[in-house]
Amino acid sequence: MSSVERVYSYSAVLMGSPILLKLFEDNSSVAKAVFRLIKQLEDLLTVNREPSQLMTVNHAAGKHPVVVSQPVFELIQKAKSVSLLENSSFNFTIGPLVKRWKIGFHGDSVPPQTDIQNLLPLTNPENVELDPQTCSVFLTQPGMEIDLGAIAKGYIADRVRDLLHQLGIQNALINLGGNVLALGAPPHSTQKAWGIGLKKPFADPDALIGIMEVNNKSVVTSGIYERYFEKDGKIYHHILDPKTGYPLDNELLSVTVISDQSIDGDIYTTLLYGMGVENSLAYLADKPEIEAIFVTKSHQVICSSERQYRFTLQDSDFHLA
Ligand code: ADP
Ligand code: MG
């Protein structure tokens, strides 16, 4: 006999995004524990609001090292190593430029070229000194600022998954504003995989290009349509090119990464964004654990090998390459 199981949805607004949790049992204490954890981690990692451990590190730039908690230290360590990869478009010391552009926040504008030139030297990841013995972080130049905005959600999503597993929940769906965790499978008799929508850029918020089907995966999308402003017919979006200090500019509208760890999804969306489609596909060829879907400005949808997911196109404005 087949029975349709009930879905219980819980929501909250945290990290500036709507957070949605779907469970298959009526369990508001689990939902409360999840939202509490997200809030606690956000309080450690935000750079938009006092007090946070990260703000304390940034305030002490050029002055003295700051001791942070073990998890914050490990996240900073990871962010530094990814930032130091050859030709990395990920840079966790991009903070001064992010603050100057204020993209998606009140007062955003195109800064004068000289401002950008003056800020670029403050974004050298080598100038972050880490001491694993004491878990201390030192930004050696005054004015430097760490920004973990590109990986905080992924890190938090992985901790939420750990908590749900600890609480004995194997099947659940959680959306942390762009980072989706599809745990286990939907326990229905007919549906074997989770269907996750691939958003249609610059369209109605519910409009989809197609559907990705996954089991027990993280799905992270970064797109130029998420946070941007328009000036003189040009779009300025929130992923900056660490080399130029301007928004990354190439053929892409969005990159989606399907992986086990959401932090990897978050790191790779930024890295692949900077690489562009061709280089990304070559780079991913020997990384079966990381898969990606690229959406280009010419409305092509390009999928890496579909080992960990299935993609079905739904919108006739787009074409599968
Ligand atoms: P979102 O999920 O909010 O769209 P992303 O994961 O795409 O976020 O990361 C974008 C955020 O990361 C920006 O808002 C900024 O705080 C920060 N950022 C911007 N450019 C870079 C970069 N090149 N490297 C690392 N972080 C960046
Ligand atoms: Mg990211």
Side-chain angles (χ1 to χ4, degrees), residues 126-141:
E126 302 269 15
N127 292 335
V128 179
E129 287 178 2
L130 300 180
D131 180 0
Q133 299 288 293
T134 55
C135 276
S136 72
V137 183
F138 181 33
L139 309 184
T140 61
Q141 308 300 312

Side-chain angles (χ1 to χ4, degrees), residues 148-166:
L148 297 178
I151 53 167
K153 269 194 238 168
Y155 170 77
I156 293 173
D158 290 336
R159 300 292 76 75
V160 166
R161 173 205 54 204
D162 296 345
L163 174 66
L164 287 170
H165 284 169
Q166 265 170 35

Side-chain angles (χ1 to χ4, degrees), residues 89-92 94 98 147-151 153 177-179 221-223 226-227 238-242 248 266 269-270:
S89 51
F90 186 101
N91 183 339
F92 80 126
I94 198 103
V98 172
D147 179 341
L148 297 178
I151 53 167
K153 269 194 238 168
N179 287 55
T221 298
S222 249
E226 281 167 33
R227 228 161 346 113
H238 71 315
I239 307 165
L240 300 178
D241 182 342
L248 271 168
D266 239 348
T269 45
T270 307

